[in-house]
Amino acid sequence: MQGVSAPREQAPPVISTSSTILNMREKEKYIEDFDFPFCDESSKYEKVAKIGQGTFGEVFKARARNSSKKFVAMKKVLMDNEKEGFPITALREIKILQLLKHENVVNLIEICRTKATLHNKYRSTFYLVFDFCEHDLAGLLSNVNVKFSLGEIKKVMQQLLNGLYYIHSNKILHRDMKAANVLITKNGILKLADFGLARAFSVAKSGQANKYTNRVVTLWYRPPELLLGDRNYGPPVDMWGAGCIMAEMWTRSPIMQGPTEQQQLILISQLCGSCTPDVWPGVESLDLYNKLELPKGQKRKVKERLKHYVKDPYGCDLLDKLLQLDPAKRFDADTALNHDFFWTDPMPCDLGSMLAQHTQSMFEYLAPPRRPGHLRHHHHAPAQPKPPQDSTYQDRVF
Amino acid sequence: MPYWYYDKKDLQNTPSFRDGINNDTENRYRKEGARFIIDTGSKMDLGYNTVATGVVYFHRFYMFHSFRTFPRYITACCCLFLAGKVEETPKKCKDIIKVAKSLLNEEKFNTFGEDPKEEVMTLERILLQTIKFDLQVEHPYSYLLKYAKCLKGDKTKLQKMVQMAWTFVNDSLCTTLCLQWEPEVIAVALMFLAGKLSKFEVVDWNGRAPKHNAWWDMFVEDITMELLEDICHQVLDLYSIQTQPSGGESPPLPPAPKPPKNEKKPPVTPPISASPAAPAKTPVKNGAEFYPYAPPPVAYTAPPPRLPPPPRLPMGLVYDAPPARFVASVPPPPLVPPPFLRARSPASSPPILSAAVIAIHCSDCVKVFSLCELRVTKPGRSQSFY
Ligand SMILES: Nc1ncnc2c1ncn2[C@@H]1O[C@H](COP(=O)(O)OP(=O)(O)OP(=O)(O)O)[C@@H](O)[C@H]1O
Ligand SMILES: [Mg+2]
C-alpha cells in the first residue's frame, strides 16, 4: 500500500512565502549591496586602451587604481546572446587557467565583476584579469622594425615549446596556436595565451576513441589531421601550430593562408607533400580522406622551400620535424626541446635588450594588416611589406 | 585564496543563523537542497561527479547568503546547472527547470518566481561570484577507488565494503562535511565506517610501512580516531530517526520519480509491504544483480523504503572499462556509483535513507552485504560539449 501512494501530506504547514523570503525589491537591494569577498569590482582598474577583439569578448589594457605602475589585461566575458548563462567556453578557459601556473603561460590574476544594478538588470559583467604583456607575437612580426636574431628566435621557440610541454604534461590541449595568441613581455618572457578553445584530453583507451570537435584552430594553423576530420587527436595539433609559428619567425607572415579548408589542405600538400598512407599510415581511415579531393603526387618540399628564409640548417631540420603530416611522426614538445637547434651556436639569447629598443606595445589588433601573400615558391627574398607607421601602434606605454 | 573549510563554530554562525534561522532548520534546508540536487541530477542521468559538484557549490553558497534571501530549490537548480557545464555534462536550463517542477510541489516551485529561467540566469552570476569562480571541486569518490586499490584481502568483501562506502559518500553530500574536511579525509572516514559495518578488517595493504598503524596512515597523516568517529557520526546522524519540527515550512518530500518508460519493470516486483524476507533479485541488462529494495529494519517503524526506480540506462553507450590496474588488484569498483537510493517515507521519518541505513540496523552482516549489493550499470558518459 505504502510506497505506491503519493507522499503522505502531513497537515500542510502553509506559510506564505512572502514572509519568509525576501521580496523582489529587497532582493535587488541585497544583490546591489552585497560585497562579494572573492570577486572584486572591475572599477578597481582603469581602462587605458582596447588591445584586442576576439570571438568571445574585447580585451582592454588597464591600470590598477591603487598602483599606477601595475598594468593588466582585462578580457570581457561576452554574455549577451547566451541562452545558457555563463558560457561553457569561458568556464573552461577559467578552469584551465586556474590549473596552469607556469612562467610561459599567461597568468590569470582574478575575475572581476561590474556592480549589479538596475541598469544591468542586476546582472554583472565579468572580466578575466591577466598580468599585462606588452606585445603579442603577431604584432611584433608585423613590425619590420622589430628584428629577431637567430639566438632570439631560438629563445622565442624554446619558451613556446616549454609552455607547450607544460600544458601537455597537464593534459591540456591549447587548440588555438597562432602568433596572436603568443604574448611576449617587455622583458622577453613568452606567455601562451587564449585558452578559449583549450580542453583537457585523455589518452584514448584502447578501442575507445575520443570524440573531440575538429572545428578548432584558426584555419591557417590547422594541422592536416583536423582538416581531414580526425576527432581523436591530441598534443600534435599544437605542435603543428608551433611549426607554423616557428616558420613565421623568419617569413614574418603566416606561411599557409588558405581561404577555405580545402585550399588549406592543398597548400599543406604543396609544402609537405601529398597525404598518403605511405607517409602517413592510417590517413585513409580519416573521415574526409575519401570525401575531399586531395592533391596527388605532391613531393615534400619543406626544407627546399623554407631554406631561403631559414638559413640555419638546424632550424630547417626542426621545422621539418614539426611540420610532419603524420601526427604520430611529428615531434612532441620534449623531443623538439632536445633538438640541436637549441643546443648549437648561437645559443638562445635573451630578448630583453632587443625589445628595449621598442617603447610601444605591438598587438595584432593595433597593427596594420599583415602582408596577405604567403610562402612564395620562388627563390627570391620576399617583398617586404611597407613598414608600418609607428603611430598605428599603441603609443608608449610600459 | 579562499579556504573552503570551516570549523564547527563557523558552521553554526552562518548568514542564515544571523538571519533568524536556527541551526536545525538550516541543516534541514541544506539536506533538502542537496537531496533535491541528487534527485534532479539522477533523473537527468547526470553522473555522480556533476551531482556532487553541484552540491558542494550549494553548501558553499550558503556560507555567504541566507536561506531567507535565496530559497533553496532554485539555488539548487542553479548549482546543478553550473556544475553540469563545469563537469562537461551540460544540461539546458529549461530542462533542469522542467525536472525540478516535476519534483516539487506547487508551493515550492512558486519560489522560482515569475520567470524561473531568468531567475536562474541572474542567480548564476551571484553564485559564480560567491564561490570565487572556484569551479573545480574534488570529491571523495576517486579517493575511495584509489585507496581500495591498495587494500588486500577477500576481493568480494573488499568490493562490498567499497560499495557501501560509496553509498555513504553519496549520503554525506547531505551533510556539511564537504565544508569541514578535504575529500581525502572523508573518503578515509567513510571507508573506515564501511569496513566496520561490513566486518571487513583491513590487515594488510600495498605500500605498508612499519610506521603505519592503519591503512589510512598511508594516505592521510595524523588522522585521529576521534576525527574518524566524528565524521562517521555526522553521516550516521542522517539516518537516525528524528522528529522534524512540525511547524515551519517543513515541506513534504518530493514525489519519487516515476520509473522511466523505456525501462522494463523488473519481472518480479514483490509487494512493497512484503516481509523482510529475502529480497527479490532483479537482473539488469549487464548481468549484474541488484536488490531493488531493502527490508525494513526492526527498529524502523516507518513504512519500508520504496522501490527505487531502475536506473535509466543511457542508450547506445559503451561500457567504460575500469582502469586496468584496478582490475588486476580488486574486482571492478562500482563504476557508476551505486544509485542514490530513495526512500519514501512520511515527513516524520528520516528523509534520507539508503542501503547504508539498513546496514546500520542489521546485526547480521551477511544481510548487510546483500543489502549493499548494488548495481553496476553503464556509466552515464559525460556528453562532450560539441
Ligand atoms: N595578458 C595580456 N596582455 C596583453 N595583451 C593581451 C593579453 N591577453 C590578451 N591580449 C591581447 O588580446 C588579444 C585577444 O586576446 P585572446 O586571444 O585571449 O582572446 P580572443 O582572441 O578574444 O579569444 P579567441 O581567440 O578565442 O577569440 C590577444 O591577441 C592579445 O593581443
Ligand atoms: Mg586570440
Side-chain angles (χ1 to χ4, degrees):
Chain A
M1 246 193 77
Q2 66 279 55
V4 280
S5 61
R8 205 164 78 200
E9 302 272 345
Q10 27 162 205
V14 184
I15 278 203
S16 98
T17 38
S18 58
S19 71
T20 51
I21 292 164
L22 298 192
N23 68 31
M24 203 57 183
R25 284 283 303 282
E26 288 172 315
K27 189 145 147 195
E28 283 168 359
K29 172 131 183 47
Y30 175 91
I31 296 172
E32 192 165 345
D33 293 345
F34 192 84
D35 196 14
F36 293 92
F38 300 143
C39 193
D40 289 345
E41 278 183 49
S42 54
S43 60
K44 79 192 240 195
Y45 300 106
E46 178 188 8
K47 282 180 190 169
V48 177
K50 179 167 167 179
I51 52 176
Q53 170 74 62
T55 43
F56 108 84
E58 298 159 307
V59 182
F60 298 92
K61 174 178 182 175
R63 175 191 289 117
R65 287 189 199 272
N66 65 5
S67 123
S68 56
K69 291 226 175 64
K70 172 74 182 166
F71 288 98
V72 297
M74 299 176 75
K75 184 167 172 176
K76 185 172 172 177
V77 178
L78 204 65
M79 281 176 70
D80 296 343
N81 303 317
E82 281 296 336
K83 285 219 306 269
E84 292 304 319
F86 200 89
I88 192 169
T89 47
L91 290 171
R92 270 193 202 132
E93 181 166 13
I94 291 167
K95 237 176 14 178
I96 289 174
L97 286 164
Q98 287 171 340
L99 170 80
L100 300 175
K101 293 292 165 208
H102 187 268
E103 156 143 80
N104 298 123
V105 173
V106 70
N107 178 44
L108 177 69
I109 302 170
E110 62 182 335
I111 295 156
C112 282
R113 62 182 165 110
T114 58
K115 208 171 179 56
T117 61
L118 181 60
H119 299 297
N120 54 28
K121 294 206 292 199
Y122 299 94
R123 292 186 183 179
S124 306
T125 302
F126 294 103
Y127 291 92
L128 276 55
V129 182
F130 298 96
D131 283 333
F132 181 71
C133 301
E134 284 72 13
H135 315 282
D136 70 38
L137 191 55
L140 287 172
L141 290 174
S142 62
N143 184 336
V144 288
N145 299 320
V146 177
K147 299 191 169 72
F148 290 95
S149 69
L150 182 56
E152 286 160 353
I153 290 179
K154 289 184 184 184
K155 188 73 179 183
V156 168
M157 287 311 298
Q158 194 175 44
Q159 295 184 75
L160 185 136
L161 292 166
N162 252 328
L164 283 177
Y165 176 76
Y166 172 77
I167 70 165
H168 291 164
S169 313
N170 280 285
K171 298 272 173 288
I172 300 291
L173 299 179
H174 185 282
R175 303 200 301 182
D176 199 11
M177 289 297 290
K178 62 175 174 186
N181 289 339
V182 174
L183 307 178
I184 297 189
T185 70
K186 64 167 189 266
N187 300 321
I189 306 299
L190 176 148
K191 314 266 179 189
L192 298 179
D194 196 352
F195 287 78
L197 280 177
R199 69 160 292 153
F201 69 92
S202 57
V203 182
K205 298 183 202 111
S206 54
Q208 207 189 14
N210 293 312
K211 280 208 174 139
Y212 306 139
T213 175
N214 44 49
R215 303 200 56 81
V216 284
V217 188
T218 307
L219 187 55
W220 297 345
Y221 297 82
R222 202 177 296 168
E225 66 269 28
L226 291 184
L227 291 163
L228 288 172
D230 193 358
R231 299 188 65 183
N232 186 24
Y233 53 82
V237 298
D238 291 337
M239 301 312 296
W240 178 270
C244 295
I245 293 172
M246 178 172 169
E248 209 171 318
M249 292 302 298
W250 286 277
T251 64
R252 307 290 292 218
S253 56
I255 57 170
M256 292 175 282
Q257 306 179 20
T260 63
E261 298 182 15
Q262 172 95 37
Q263 281 293 316
Q264 188 67 25
L265 267 171
I266 292 173
L267 289 175
I268 289 175
S269 295
Q270 285 169 355
L271 180 66
C272 304
S274 299
C275 299
T276 64
D278 272 353
V279 298
W280 180 356
V283 65
E284 68 281 4
S285 58
L286 292 180
D287 274 3
L288 302 178
Y289 179 73
N290 288 314
K291 297 197 183 108
L292 289 178
E293 245 188 79
L294 298 173
K296 304 241 162 56
Q298 292 280 349
K299 264 185 35 218
R300 186 172 174 85
K301 305 184 197 95
V302 175
K303 286 190 179 172
E304 183 187 324
R305 285 179 59 199
L306 285 171
K307 69 174 187 237
H308 306 290
Y309 301 84
V310 187
K311 303 277 173 1
D312 181 66
Y314 294 109
C316 263
D317 188 69
L318 179 54
L319 274 165
D320 183 60
K321 300 297 192 296
L322 291 172
L323 295 175
Q324 286 290 321
L325 292 170
D326 181 356
K329 297 200 186 84
R330 213 171 291 153
F331 266 18
D332 63 16
D334 187 41
T335 321
L337 282 166
N338 287 328
H339 191 276
D340 283 344
F341 180 61
F342 298 110
W343 304 100
T344 45
D345 195 49
M347 288 295 280
C349 77
D350 240 52
L351 301 160
S353 49
M354 182 274 278
L355 291 171
Q357 301 161 22
H358 304 276
T359 49
Q360 80 278 16
S361 265
M362 285 166 261
F363 292 115
E364 179 181 57
Y365 177 72
L366 302 162
R370 283 201 275 176
R371 184 167 57 87
H374 34 83
L375 194 55
R376 311 268 163 112
H377 281 271
H378 56 67
H379 292 187
H380 325 293
Q384 292 293 343
K386 218 175 118 232
Q389 302 201 313
D390 274 3
S391 62
T392 58
Y393 293 96
Q394 202 212 324
D395 281 333
R396 147 100 224 128
V397 166
F398 10 98
Chain B
M1 220 17 215
Y3 181 75
W4 293 114
Y5 301 106
Y6 301 83
D7 62 27
K8 292 212 165 117
K9 239 179 33 235
D10 300 329
L11 289 172
Q12 278 162 11
N13 184 21
T14 58
S16 297
F17 180 76
R18 295 193 293 269
D19 208 13
I21 296 174
N22 69 36
N23 289 149
D24 284 350
T25 308
E26 168 164 5
N27 286 337
R28 179 163 56 83
Y29 287 167
R30 287 183 179 272
K31 192 148 67 179
E32 287 166 356
R35 169 76 15 199
F36 175 71
I37 293 175
I38 293 169
D39 289 344
T40 309
S42 315
K43 203 170 172 188
M44 302 187 80
D45 288 330
L46 286 168
Y48 56 92
N49 256 324
T50 303
V51 166
T53 297
V55 174
V56 172
Y57 293 165
F58 181 84
H59 284 303
R60 290 180 180 178
F61 182 85
Y62 285 108
M63 292 312 285
F64 294 91
H65 307 282
S66 152
F67 279 96
R68 210 168 74 86
T69 317
F70 296 103
R72 56 197 177 287
Y73 293 109
I74 186 162
T75 306
C77 279
C78 185
C79 291
L80 187 62
F81 175 59
L82 180 62
K85 290 188 279 185
V86 170
E87 301 288 353
E88 301 283 345
T89 55
K91 292 287 176 197
K92 288 211 178 82
C93 186
K94 71 169 188 344
D95 293 338
I96 294 182
I97 291 170
K98 215 191 283 165
V99 174
K101 191 170 181 180
S102 76
L103 291 174
L104 295 171
N105 66 21
E106 206 181 318
E107 187 202 333
K108 284 196 205 119
F109 189 71
N110 284 342
T111 63
F112 282 48
E114 301 272 281
D115 187 341
K117 191 178 162 206
E118 286 302 298
E119 291 281 325
V120 173
M121 293 298 150
T122 306
L123 193 53
E124 186 186 39
R125 300 184 200 215
I126 298 169
L127 173 62
L128 282 164
Q129 298 169 53
T130 305
I131 63 172
K132 208 214 168 194
F133 285 86
D134 219 338
L135 305 163
Q136 201 73 65
V137 189
E138 276 194 306
H139 304 296
Y141 300 110
S142 56
Y143 293 102
L144 282 186
L145 299 183
K146 179 180 158 202
Y147 300 161
K149 271 192 245 181
C150 299
L151 304 186
K152 293 185 183 167
D154 182 302
K155 297 293 175 233
T156 325
K157 283 187 168 187
L158 179 64
Q159 191 186 346
K160 280 169 181 161
M161 175 180 80
V162 175
Q163 285 172 334
M164 193 195 274
W166 192 286
T167 313
F168 285 132
V169 171
N170 287 344
D171 290 340
S172 76
L173 295 173
C174 296
T175 70
T176 53
L177 275 170
C178 67
L179 296 176
Q180 301 170 51
W181 299 106
E182 295 90 339
E184 293 90 327
V185 178
I186 298 174
V188 162
L190 297 183
M191 189 107 108
F192 160 79
L193 176 62
K196 286 271 180 234
L197 287 168
S198 64
K199 305 231 165 82
F200 178 76
E201 205 189 334
V202 179
V203 287
D204 198 14
W205 53 92
N206 292 320
R208 179 169 192 169
K211 61 175 187 199
H212 295 151
N213 289 318
W215 60 266
W216 53 81
D217 293 330
M218 204 162 81
F219 302 109
V220 182
E221 270 178 38
D222 297 332
I223 201 163
T224 63
M225 200 46 91
E226 240 177 322
L227 172 57
L228 287 182
E229 288 183 357
D230 176 65
I231 294 174
C232 297
H233 278 294
Q234 292 192 46
V235 173
L236 291 177
D237 282 348
L238 287 170
Y239 312 124
S240 68
I241 297 165
Q242 352 158 302
T243 34
Q244 302 226 330
S246 52
E249 61 279 50
S250 170
L253 287 170
K258 294 189 189 71
K261 285 194 199 86
N262 59 353
E263 190 72 26
K264 271 199 192 135
K265 278 226 173 93
V268 191
T269 312
I272 302 296
S273 53
S275 70
K281 281 185 184 179
T282 309
V284 287
K285 281 182 184 159
N286 58 9
E289 290 173 349
F290 75 100
Y291 296 85
Y293 77 103
V298 189
Y300 183 60
T301 51
R306 188 169 180 262
L307 179 72
R312 189 142 43 126
L313 300 178
M315 294 300 168
L317 290 184
V318 222
Y319 188 83
D320 225 319
R325 270 171 63 219
F326 195 94
V327 182
S329 53
V330 272
L335 286 172
V336 157
F340 295 102
L341 298 182
R342 276 176 209 81
R344 175 64 75 79
S345 50
S348 62
S349 68
I352 295 153
L353 191 72
S354 67
V357 71
I358 290 124
I360 292 143
H361 292 279
C362 278
S363 49
D364 180 352
C365 82
V366 176
K367 233 182 247 166
V368 170
F369 282 154
S370 69
L371 295 175
C372 290
E373 189 93 45
L374 292 160
R375 286 164 289 183
V376 175
T377 58
K378 300 181 181 183
R381 259 248 305 267
S382 67
Q383 256 173 288
S384 161
F385 170 62
Y386 296 101

